[in-house]
Amino acid sequence: DAFPAPATREEALADLEHALTERRAEAVVWIANHGRPGDQRLLLKRLHDESPFVRGYAERGLWLLWSRSGEAEIDRLMAAGVEQMQAGRHREAVATFSEVIRRRPAYAEGWNKRATVHYLAGDYQKSLADCDEVVKRNPQHFGAISGYGQIYFRLEQYDKAIEYWRRALEVNPNMLGVELNIKGAEQLLKEKRGRAI
């Protein structure tokens, strides 16, 4: 392999700043797979890398880092909850993520997944409350910050939606869907104000 993956944490940390894109990408992957929760800041920095390739790995890497609770039983519950959510079994998924939260209240991703289920079930106030808990534990969680935007958009509070989506983009400028959401919300806001005159 022309670009050997880092063998150690020290190599990965050094390669995060390497001039070669491939070396930075390999380092991001290493941190994503072997990193600790405290390594989030290293990957957040790479969300602003000059290479779209590295930025993409950094975003996926952060989700991977966030998804690991460090406890097998919690990870198993999380996987079960995600399965329930994807199958549209919202009540079961809420119960499963609530159990994760009960056992590991400091684990932001439990709150984030429950916020998502509440959103999908149309329970926006509960979803907002869970987003608050995520951001308390992880202020840079661009998924939850963007989630606020989705909720406020559904509540037709377009100005608030835009504000949160812009905050999400400050953390992670690579969310193309969020940029499109802002354009759509700005258009709706303009129409809404036009009708108010």
Side-chain angles (χ1 to χ4, degrees):
D1 193 7
F3 302 104
T8 64
R9 181 175 175 81
E10 287 62 39
E11 282 179 27
L13 292 175
D15 281 355
L16 279 174
E17 302 292 339
H18 203 283
L20 286 172
T21 299
E22 292 80 0
R23 293 283 287 272
R24 291 197 310 279
E26 289 283 3
V28 163
V29 170
W30 194 96
I31 298 288
N33 287 321
H34 307 284
R36 313 184 270 262
D39 291 332
Q40 165 178 303
R41 61 183 176 75
L42 302 171
L43 297 186
L44 284 167
K45 186 177 176 194
R46 295 275 63 97
L47 288 174
H48 299 268
D49 195 276
E50 64 194 35
S51 159
F53 184 60
V54 173
R55 294 196 304 265
Y57 274 123
E59 181 173 333
R60 287 194 297 279
L62 279 160
W63 283 110
L64 194 60
L65 209 58
W66 292 340
S67 72
R68 283 199 303 271
S69 70
E71 195 181 314
E73 182 54 23
I74 295 292
D75 290 348
R76 194 192 62 70
L77 277 170
M78 287 292 284
V82 168
E83 229 169 80
Q84 292 160 345
M85 178 166 69
Q86 288 170 341
R89 301 199 317 265
H90 298 148
R91 194 170 296 147
E92 288 171 54
V94 166
T96 303
F97 295 131
S98 295
E99 181 58 18
V100 168
I101 289 164
R102 190 185 67 74
R103 293 187 193 186
R104 288 285 301 276
Y107 178 51
E109 206 49 35
W111 295 96
N112 186 52
K113 289 289 185 278
R114 194 173 74 176
T116 304
V117 183
H118 284 316
Y119 173 81
L120 293 172
D123 203 334
Y124 301 134
Q125 295 311 317
K126 283 184 180 171
S127 189
L128 283 173
D130 280 353
C131 284
D132 288 344
E133 296 297 332
V134 178
V135 174
K136 251 185 233 167
R137 290 159 178 78
N138 183 356
Q140 304 299 307
H141 197 300
F142 53 80
I145 300 168
S146 161
Y148 279 115
Q150 299 287 2
I151 297 162
Y152 284 120
F153 183 82
R154 289 282 180 187
L155 297 171
E156 294 184 18
Q157 294 180 33
Y158 303 127
D159 45 353
K160 265 188 163 170
I162 292 165
E163 178 195 326
Y164 276 103
W165 282 332
R166 285 200 176 121
R167 278 178 51 191
L169 285 174
E170 280 171 30
V171 180
N172 181 3
N174 312 293
M175 303 163 80
L176 295 177
V178 170
E179 283 186 36
L180 294 171
N181 288 348
I182 290 172
K183 284 190 174 73
E186 284 173 339
Q187 186 56 44
L188 288 166
L189 199 55
K190 215 156 65 183
E191 289 167 16
K192 197 175 176 182
R193 285 184 180 141
R195 284 196 302 270
I197 294 167

